[in-house]
Amino acid sequence: MDWLDLSLELPVTDPTWIFLLVLLIILFAPLLLNKLRIPHIIGMILAGLAIGEHGFNILARDSSFELFGKVGVYYIMFLAGLEMNMADFKKNRGKAVVLGLLAFIIPISIGLVTNVMLLKYSLITSVLLASMYASHTLVAYPIVIRYGISRQRSVSIAVGGTAVTDTLTLLVLAVISGVFKGETGGLFWLWLIVRFVVLGIVLTYAIPRIGRWFFRRYDDAVMQYIFVLALVFLGAGLMELIGMEGILGAFLVGLLLNRLIPHVSPLMSHLEFVGNALFIPYFLIGVGMLIDVHVIFGGGDALKVAGVMIVVALAGKWIASWLTQKIYRMSVLERELMFGLSNAQAAATLAAVLVGYQIILPDGSRLLNEDVLNGTVLLILVTCVVSSFTTERAARRMAMDEAVPEEEDRSRMPEKILIPIANPATIDYLMNLALVIRDPKQKDNLVALNVINDHTSSDRLEQQGKRHLERAAKITASAGVQLSCISRYDLNIAAGITHTARENNVTDVIIGLHYKVNIVDSFFGMLTESLLKGLHREVMVARFLIPINTLRRIIIAVPPKAEYEAGFYKWVEHFCRMGSTLGCRVHFFSNERTGNYLQALVRKKYSSTLTEFSRLDDWGDLLLLTGQVNYDHLLVVISARRGSISYDSSFEKLPGQLGKYFTNNSLIVLYPDQLGDPQEVVSFSNPQGSNESQHYEKVGRWFYKWFKKES
């Protein structure tokens, strides 16, 4: 009797063992190659070569590799569109178009000559083969994400250039494919372009609206992830339906969802995690399994064809990057990063060679023969290696340059944001607000606090507070951010917040807007009023009616003399960072003098943020803003503590105006940092003075207007 059946046949066909072997490769290949300083991507491709049918024949390239491989290449293009800094891309779209055109024209021109002169191929075969040199895939993009420089100008240019180059390459592929399918009527070109443009317009109109509708109604992480993945495959499937490659559809969906999925959000973290952990490695292993070393080095023209293809592809991409650098006077490091990202051949190249290999000519030969097929696989391997090494080196140097602190930042107090949580209905938006305004370069700068009143201490309240803190920690952990959780007993909530802020050197406090429980209750509540008296740090009082990632604009009402407050630079930085993260426009309303100061500051330090400036001379009447603030906008009112430089008597009307005119809007009332210790009443020794209108001043102005009218 056989207790164990140890018979093993290669290649392995059991799904359990196939998946286990792939997971072991994904786990151990980076660990092994890290010691050799070889990028992870190369490890995946070499591992695929070793286990494939042309290596040790451990695994066959079955349908699972085709399925996961397709998902992986869609994921790469989708993440490229999703991670793109849209503000920077709009500013550099001309550069991206130039790089894309150069990366298409130069390789295809050189390739056409070499294919005809050196390889002796026919004209149509030479055109298709040359178009393969022009295309590229962002295989090295995960390296850019890992180093945190995906929002750099050169990265945006390379990603935008990829869209241009691959679109033109796939158009050539569609036309050549149509020639041999008998679809080359007089309107074939026109009809293909019309279908492509119409589909692009439909997706551009529909996907942001569908996405905004879904995210406002469903906040479950799993549902949001499945929804996004479904949109990616919908865009890819529709693009294939009209005769183009699905990678363009996946890239377009990433661009369209860019504003709805901030790069610091939990959903973005989930998308990157699943893609980098499973789908993208599966794709890279599948690419390695295509390589047949025996055919390439076994004689014939395969090695010659592969050599010509590799030289032309690398030279063409380098010349395109060099010309772009010279035209726009960019740095050498930016050129290296553009070259590294734009020379890897994979998705579009594979699509082109497989289509050409399947086309049978009238004489029985293939449009692209086996030499080209095997040469293409070697081209993919070499270009991916060069791309990975070049991108790794450039990205590391760029990240190191970014890590050097600026002179003005060295004297700044380390940021620490305190988020008191008590109401479970506000935990999500308070934590998400903290995530989009925090400085991503600083670690451990978020603190969540639960305060239990000494007089009402009970096990139930303590357990409830722990659950609230765990929920807050789960939100930040899913975004890859560490959260410090504090639970304490104190005389009251305000005292607990104040004491915690002082003990932990807190620089900013974010609290939810108080809900009125009776008619005599104040708009902000006793908690906010007590905090403002006890703390001189920045305090944000927030209320959100829609998810933060679905905001389309930030409207900021700025009072006169706000630029003289100690916390002016900090809140400008916070909201410019928020606008840049969410990809929405920040619209400042202020008087002329403050507006000029704001414009100079934003132009100098936050030029990448989409901003707009308008006059608001009568700041005391916020009714003027009701026509500017829509349901999907965020209204920010910059207020001030009593006795500060920018304080005005019109602030007394602020609660009534907000409660009357903006009940259906998300809003933040911000009290900036104030120099010195907090004090309720301004003394004669206070050098700041007070901007508040006193009663005798009002009487004096009334008499002045009356005498002027009489005269």
Side-chain angles (χ1 to χ4, degrees):
M1 179 177 178
D2 292 333
W3 291 95
L4 293 174
D5 183 9
L6 297 177
S7 60
L8 180 64
E9 295 183 0
L10 297 179
V12 177
T13 56
D14 184 81
T16 304
W17 290 101
I18 290 175
F19 202 70
L20 173 62
L21 289 171
V22 171
L23 290 179
L24 290 176
I25 291 171
I26 296 173
L27 174 63
F28 288 109
L31 296 178
L32 176 63
L33 294 174
N34 265 346
K35 298 181 179 180
L36 303 176
R37 297 188 178 276
I38 297 176
H40 304 170
I41 292 172
I42 306 307
M44 299 300 169
I45 296 176
L46 293 177
L49 169 63
I51 67 171
E53 59 181 327
H54 305 302
F56 296 105
N57 196 29
I58 298 174
L59 294 179
R61 197 174 189 276
D62 58 6
S63 58
S64 68
F65 285 96
E66 295 180 8
L67 173 62
F68 282 95
K70 201 157 194 177
V71 177
V73 72
Y74 288 168
Y75 233 100
I76 290 174
M77 298 302 294
F78 169 67
L79 287 179
L82 200 60
E83 285 275 357
M84 186 181 293
N85 187 337
M86 293 305 295
D88 196 30
F89 175 70
K90 290 177 181 178
K91 185 170 64 176
N92 297 300
R93 58 180 177 266
K95 300 181 181 68
V97 171
V98 169
L99 176 63
L101 291 175
L102 291 174
F104 176 77
I105 294 172
I106 294 174
I108 205 171
S109 301
I110 300 174
L112 189 59
V113 174
T114 55
N115 294 339
V116 174
M117 302 294 293
L118 296 179
L119 301 180
K120 309 299 182 182
Y121 287 143
S122 65
L123 180 61
I124 194 165
T125 300
S126 299
V127 171
L128 181 58
L129 185 55
S131 70
M132 290 164 49
Y133 307 152
S135 68
H136 58 263
T137 303
L138 296 169
V139 170
Y141 194 77
I143 296 174
V144 169
I145 296 177
R146 190 173 74 249
Y147 280 102
I149 60 168
S150 59
R151 303 176 81 81
Q152 283 286 335
R153 175 179 70 165
S154 52
V155 177
S156 298
I157 293 172
V159 173
T162 300
V164 174
T165 302
D166 284 358
T167 300
L168 295 174
T169 300
L170 296 174
L171 281 172
V172 172
L173 175 61
V175 171
I176 292 178
S177 178
V179 168
F180 289 95
K181 292 180 182 178
E183 299 176 353
T184 53
L187 297 178
F188 174 76
W189 280 78
L190 180 62
W191 178 233
L192 179 66
I193 295 174
V194 167
R195 284 183 296 182
F196 179 71
V197 171
V198 170
L199 178 60
I201 293 174
V202 170
L203 292 178
T204 302
Y205 178 82
I207 285 184
R209 288 164 174 78
I210 295 173
R212 194 172 287 111
W213 172 86
F214 187 89
F215 289 137
R216 286 176 181 170
R217 284 161 178 79
Y218 305 99
D219 57 0
D220 182 77
V222 175
M223 291 182 63
Q224 289 185 349
Y225 179 84
I226 298 300
F227 169 75
V228 170
L229 206 60
L231 287 183
V232 172
F233 276 84
L234 174 64
L238 291 176
M239 198 63 72
E240 289 183 343
L241 196 63
I242 66 168
M244 300 294 290
E245 282 296 315
I247 56 175
L248 286 178
F251 177 74
L252 182 58
V253 171
L255 286 178
L256 296 175
L257 292 178
N258 185 288
R259 291 180 58 179
L260 297 178
I261 308 177
H263 68 280
V264 296
S265 64
L267 180 57
M268 173 65 86
S269 180
H270 298 156
L271 289 167
E272 290 181 345
F273 173 79
V274 177
N276 292 326
L278 186 61
F279 294 135
I280 295 176
Y282 233 113
F283 162 70
L284 296 171
I285 292 171
V287 170
M289 295 174 73
L290 290 172
I291 301 173
D292 188 352
V293 179
H294 303 290
V295 173
I296 295 173
F297 296 101
D301 294 331
L303 195 58
K304 175 184 176 183
V305 171
V308 172
M309 294 172 68
I310 291 169
V311 171
V312 173
L314 292 178
K317 297 300 183 183
W318 190 90
I319 293 172
S321 301
W322 179 78
L323 287 176
T324 304
Q325 176 214 352
K326 294 301 181 182
I327 292 172
Y328 295 107
R329 298 179 180 177
M330 302 171 71
S331 67
V332 175
L333 194 60
E334 288 179 307
R335 183 193 69 202
E336 287 186 17
L337 196 56
M338 289 189 297
F339 172 65
L341 288 171
S342 64
N343 68 32
Q345 314 281 322
T349 307
L350 278 175
V353 73
L354 292 176
V355 169
Y357 184 74
Q358 293 168 0
I359 293 176
I360 307 298
L361 299 175
D363 60 358
S365 62
R366 298 181 181 274
L367 180 62
L368 296 180
N369 57 29
E370 291 185 357
D371 290 338
V372 176
L373 179 63
N374 288 286
T376 301
V377 177
L378 189 60
L379 168 70
I380 290 172
L381 175 62
V382 173
T383 55
C384 286
V385 170
V386 173
S387 173
S388 299
F389 274 109
T390 306
T391 305
E392 181 93 19
R393 184 179 59 184
R396 185 187 297 113
R397 289 169 56 193
M398 191 168 287
M400 290 172 59
D401 292 344
E402 278 194 343
V404 177
E406 298 179 2
E407 290 295 332
E408 61 184 36
D409 291 336
R410 293 178 182 175
S411 60
R412 288 179 55 179
M413 184 177 180
E415 178 185 78
K416 184 154 289 190
I417 302 175
L418 177 66
I419 310 100
I421 53 177
N423 184 356
T426 64
I427 293 176
D428 284 18
Y429 73 68
L430 290 180
M431 299 310 303
N432 285 319
L433 175 61
L435 286 173
V436 297
I437 69 167
R438 67 179 286 271
D439 185 356
K441 296 180 182 179
Q442 296 189 30
K443 306 297 182 183
D444 302 330
N445 57 350
L446 295 185
V447 179
L449 171 67
N450 176 63
V451 181
I452 304 173
N453 196 313
D454 278 336
H455 302 292
T456 59
S457 60
S458 68
D459 292 337
R460 182 182 62 83
L461 290 177
E462 187 174 351
Q463 293 300 321
Q464 187 181 48
K466 288 182 178 179
R467 287 196 298 270
H468 293 341
L469 291 174
E470 289 174 359
R471 181 176 169 185
K474 187 179 294 185
I475 294 172
T476 57
S478 61
V481 177
Q482 186 175 353
L483 177 70
S484 301
C485 296
I486 299 176
S487 183
R488 69 179 297 159
Y489 287 89
D490 217 308
L491 295 174
N492 53 62
I493 306 298
I497 297 173
T498 303
H499 294 158
T500 304
R502 292 175 177 173
E503 292 165 3
N504 293 273
N505 295 321
V506 166
T507 58
D508 311 274
V509 179
I510 301 176
I511 62 174
L513 181 63
H514 164 75
Y515 289 93
K516 296 181 65 172
V517 295
N518 53 58
I519 194 170
V520 297
D521 201 0
S522 66
F523 180 79
F524 291 112
M526 293 300 297
L527 171 62
T528 303
E529 295 173 2
S530 300
L531 277 182
L532 295 176
K533 294 175 184 177
L535 281 177
H536 62 282
R537 293 300 182 186
E538 178 179 284
V539 176
M540 287 189 186
V541 186
R543 177 189 71 195
F544 284 88
L545 303 181
I546 62 175
I548 292 179
N549 61 308
T550 62
L551 293 172
R552 296 180 58 200
R553 185 177 287 250
I554 301 173
I555 308 291
I556 304 180
V558 187
K561 302 182 181 179
E563 65 270 24
Y564 297 110
E565 296 289 354
F568 174 73
Y569 297 97
K570 184 196 290 185
W571 68 253
V572 172
E573 179 182 20
H574 280 162
F575 289 114
C576 285
R577 184 183 294 146
M578 183 179 182
S580 179
T581 301
L582 299 177
C584 59
R585 189 176 298 274
V586 182
H587 194 165
F588 295 93
F589 285 83
S590 63
N591 65 10
E592 184 177 5
R593 182 173 181 177
T594 303
N596 292 337
Y597 203 89
L598 276 167
Q599 290 187 52
L601 175 62
V602 171
R603 192 181 305 113
K604 178 182 178 182
K605 300 190 66 176
Y606 313 108
S607 57
S608 62
T609 304
L610 296 172
T611 54
E612 194 171 338
F613 301 88
S614 297
R615 290 282 294 275
L616 181 65
D617 293 318
D618 189 7
W619 198 88
D621 189 4
L622 290 182
L623 180 61
L624 299 173
L625 292 178
T626 54
Q628 301 288 337
V629 185
N630 296 332
Y631 176 73
D632 53 1
H633 293 174
L634 170 64
L635 173 64
V636 179
V637 178
I638 307 300
S639 187
R641 295 169 176 82
R642 183 185 296 273
S644 61
I645 297 176
S646 61
Y647 184 83
D648 189 86
S649 60
S650 60
F651 289 171
E652 303 296 336
K653 300 186 296 182
L654 185 61
Q657 292 176 337
L658 294 176
K660 183 177 180 180
Y661 301 138
F662 302 99
T663 54
N664 296 322
N665 298 107
S666 301
L667 63 89
I668 291 176
V669 181
L670 184 140
Y671 295 86
D673 282 349
Q674 184 178 3
L675 286 175
D677 294 325
Q679 44 191 343
E680 183 178 359
V681 181
V682 181
S683 65
F684 288 107
S685 62
N686 183 3
Q688 293 180 352
S690 175
N691 195 42
E692 182 182 4
S693 298
Q694 303 296 330
H695 293 293
Y696 64 85
E697 292 178 338
K698 297 179 182 178
V699 174
R701 282 200 297 267
W702 184 84
F703 274 108
Y704 174 77
K705 292 180 181 178
W706 186 79
F707 279 116
K708 188 175 181 180
K709 182 178 179 181
E710 290 295 326
S711 61

